[in-house]
Amino acid sequence: MAKEAEFVTITIDEKVTHQTIESFGASGAWWSQDVGGWTNTDAKGVEAREQIATLLFDDENGIGLTTYRYNVGAGTADSGASYDGITDVWRRAECFEVKPGIYDWTKDKNAVWFMDRAVELGVKELVFFCNSPLERLTKNGKGFGDAATDGGMTSNLPEENYRAFAEYVMDVVEHFVNEGYPIKYVSPVNEPQWEWTGGQEGCHYEPEELVAFLNVFLDVMEERQMEGVELSAPELGEWGNTSYAYFEAIFADERLKNALTTLDVHSYWSSTSAKTQFVSWLEKNNLQQLELKTSEWCEMVNGKDYGMDSAIHLAMEINTDLTKLNVTSWQYWIAVSCYDYRDGLIYVTLNSKTVWDTKRLWAMGNFSRFIKEGYTRVDCTVNNRNIASSAYVGVNEDGEENLVVVLINSSENAYQILPEDFGDWTRGGVHLTDASHELENMGEVVSDNNIQIPAMSVVTVTLTK
């Protein structure tokens, strides 16, 4: 006879509130400029690109992401097949510029198709981000730094071109805003502490260079007076560690200190301890009022994984950032992958243009489909260390007060919870992602039916009073 799942107790305190959630999202870099042109169909007549768009953005048949990161490229894809330094064509990107100040808005059409479809399916905010300045503006004329001269440890963007680059980015943003696209953030710098010397578009900045460039970028943004478009920065690669020198430089500059209301940072190489130490550093420096966002992450591990191992890892990363950093937005890196790596939420096969979903996709959906903009995180604990948890209160589409609880079981043991643990929250349902289920609706919560938390699973409970 199978052993009955152990009971655990969940405790929720709605009176103790934390951050208000803005969004969950993913990046279109490295894939949309190709996959956006995949019009081949499956047995049901659905285009491959439409399959992917539905999985990412649809709120019923997908995971309902509401932020999409569009890559404003440096033009490396315009440099011909013999382009050195970035041999992988997926890691190159077009730019809209034909010559200085002259634009061809029909370029990058596949990536723009995906951005269009994302908005049509429910994305409410777009982030326009750059990995490198335009090639014509860089020191070496390429979309990455020069390892031979400086090891990639100085910026590839000369100071005299700061304004020209900012003008280009804002020209692109302004065009798409005028076309009706919901652009909320513009992010001109990506992981400035790393040495970008090939393999992909990238640009290093020393702390003082970053501060100088962001000030020029703010000049151009203020001149444009584009209401509703905000600066996203500094997009550093990790919380703490190598990032502290950049934070210190930014907050030593009064203008930047006053201009930045959020800190957008990537969660690579960042342990739970590093994240809690960073929150303490903010408090020590009287910066705890700043809103934090995880603007990029994927698991840096070789080898494809379609299953629950990487899905649990992703869910735990999201949970940690939500509960330790109090991030208001959590955005995944490369949404679609053709690589032998634990990166994409979706894998594709290039030759056959076949689409494969992963458990990572659905585990992220346990958060993104149910925790909506305006929901507030409240205190939530479970009396078992194998179960990570977080809870959110908001108003659903029917105007009812809604409680969303996400439970992550990282163990090989099964558990269960009594419905009465949720107190006045008595009506709702359960959605499960595990080895056999993909965000599947497991039925209504009723008083005589305990909520099951299978081994290696992510469970979302949604309840109303």
Side-chain angles (χ1 to χ4, degrees):
M1 181 180 295
K3 179 182 177 182
E4 184 180 32
E6 178 183 341
F7 278 95
V8 294
T9 300
I10 186 168
T11 303
I12 295 170
D13 189 345
E14 302 163 49
K15 296 178 181 178
V16 181
T17 60
H18 302 281
Q19 78 272 30
T20 298
I21 301 301
E22 180 177 324
S23 65
F24 292 88
S27 165
W30 295 5
W31 59 272
S32 63
Q33 74 274 20
D34 181 16
V35 175
W38 287 13
T39 57
N40 58 295
T41 58
D42 64 8
K44 297 180 180 179
V46 180
E47 292 180 342
R49 63 182 182 178
E50 186 64 34
Q51 294 176 49
I52 293 169
T54 297
L55 288 170
L56 292 173
F57 308 116
D58 189 272
D59 211 19
E60 294 183 5
N61 300 304
I63 65 171
L65 299 179
T66 54
T67 287
Y68 183 64
R69 298 177 63 84
Y70 173 78
N71 182 208
V72 181
T76 54
D78 302 314
S79 299
S82 62
Y83 188 80
D84 67 327
I86 306 178
T87 57
D88 182 350
V89 295
W90 256 36
R91 297 192 179 191
R92 304 179 196 169
E94 295 182 7
C95 73
F96 293 103
E97 188 182 84
V98 178
K99 58 180 66 175
I102 306 298
Y103 302 107
D104 178 359
W105 300 114
T106 67
K107 294 181 70 176
D108 208 23
K109 63 179 181 180
N110 291 342
V112 172
W113 183 92
F114 246 102
M115 179 168 60
D116 286 340
R117 195 69 185 108
V119 173
E120 290 169 356
L121 287 170
V123 161
K124 297 181 179 180
E125 61 181 40
L126 298 171
V127 181
F128 273 38
F129 78 99
C130 307
N131 288 320
S132 164
L134 280 175
E135 285 191 307
R136 74 169 177 86
L137 298 175
T138 62
K139 292 177 181 177
N140 63 2
K142 297 180 179 180
F144 54 89
D146 192 345
T149 57
D150 58 20
M153 290 305 292
T154 60
S155 177
N156 197 27
L157 178 66
E159 187 174 359
E160 60 267 25
N161 288 342
Y162 284 1
R163 171 168 278 271
F165 177 43
E167 292 278 8
Y168 168 73
V169 174
M170 292 310 296
D171 282 350
V172 173
V173 170
E174 189 168 35
H175 166 79
F176 283 98
V177 166
N178 290 339
E179 291 290 310
Y181 289 81
I183 302 172
K184 188 170 182 180
Y185 300 103
V186 55
S187 173
V189 173
N190 177 71
E191 298 180 353
Q193 70 260 63
W194 308 139
E195 306 86 43
W196 298 108
T197 57
Q200 68 171 79
E201 292 185 356
C203 186
H204 178 86
Y205 296 81
E206 287 293 289
E208 63 275 11
E209 293 173 320
L210 177 65
V211 167
F213 172 66
L214 289 179
N215 269 294
V216 172
F217 204 91
L218 279 174
D219 289 341
V220 175
M221 289 189 74
E222 290 171 0
E223 292 164 10
R224 298 295 179 106
Q225 295 184 340
M226 296 179 65
E227 186 176 352
V229 179
E230 303 175 30
L231 175 65
S232 171
E235 300 274 11
L236 291 160
E238 58 184 344
W239 299 97
N241 301 321
T242 60
S243 295
Y244 280 118
Y246 290 85
F247 290 127
E248 289 167 355
I250 287 170
F251 294 119
D253 184 279
E254 283 299 316
R255 185 188 186 199
L256 287 181
K257 182 178 181 179
N258 293 326
L260 292 177
T261 58
T262 71
L263 287 180
D264 298 8
V265 180
H266 304 173
S267 265
Y268 300 112
W269 323 122
S270 303
S271 65
T272 301
S273 175
K275 293 171 183 178
T276 55
Q277 287 173 16
F278 178 69
V279 171
S280 297
W281 182 87
L282 289 176
E283 294 171 351
K284 180 181 177 181
N285 289 276
N286 296 314
L287 297 168
Q288 63 269 32
Q289 77 282 0
L290 285 165
E291 191 176 307
L292 305 183
K293 297 180 179 180
T294 295
S295 51
E296 186 178 311
W297 181 85
C298 75
E299 187 180 3
M300 306 288 268
V301 175
N302 286 313
K304 281 188 171 72
D305 184 76
Y306 296 84
M308 285 306 299
D309 186 69
S310 62
I312 292 293
H313 195 104
L314 177 144
M316 291 296 291
E317 194 77 24
I318 297 175
N319 187 78
T320 298
D321 288 0
L322 289 168
T323 60
K324 302 301 182 184
L325 288 168
N326 291 323
V327 300
T328 59
S329 180
W330 201 93
Q331 299 157 26
Y332 194 74
W333 171 224
I334 179 171
V336 179
S337 172
C338 64
Y339 303 108
D340 188 23
Y341 207 74
R342 289 196 185 195
D343 47 4
L345 297 173
I346 296 166
Y347 286 122
V348 294
T349 305
L350 294 181
N351 291 337
S352 62
K353 297 182 178 178
T354 307
V355 179
W356 308 90
D357 61 337
T358 71
K359 296 294 185 178
R360 284 192 298 278
L361 173 82
W362 301 111
M364 186 168 179
N366 279 90
F367 295 89
S368 59
R369 193 195 281 182
F370 306 102
I371 307 168
K372 297 302 184 182
E373 178 185 8
Y375 278 43
T376 299
R377 188 171 70 85
V378 298
D379 259 13
C380 176
T381 57
V382 175
N383 67 339
N384 188 298
R385 63 188 303 175
N386 290 329
I387 307 292
S389 65
S390 60
Y392 311 82
V393 174
V395 177
N396 64 21
E397 294 178 351
D398 297 324
E400 299 174 314
E401 195 173 14
N402 196 30
L403 172 69
V404 177
V405 181
V406 183
L407 303 163
I408 307 161
N409 181 2
S410 59
S411 77
E412 297 292 341
N413 301 317
Y415 298 94
Q416 56 184 324
I417 291 176
L418 292 171
E420 63 193 46
D421 283 0
F422 294 102
D424 293 338
W425 302 92
T426 56
R427 294 186 297 113
V430 178
H431 285 78
L432 169 66
T433 298
D434 68 357
S436 304
H437 304 86
E438 296 168 341
L439 205 56
E440 187 171 334
N441 186 344
M442 304 304 290
E444 294 297 308
V445 174
V446 292
S447 59
D448 59 350
N449 190 9
N450 299 333
I451 297 167
Q452 303 299 312
I453 312 173
M456 294 290 288
S457 70
V458 186
V459 174
T460 302
V461 185
T462 57
L463 297 162
T464 58
K465 289 185 177 179

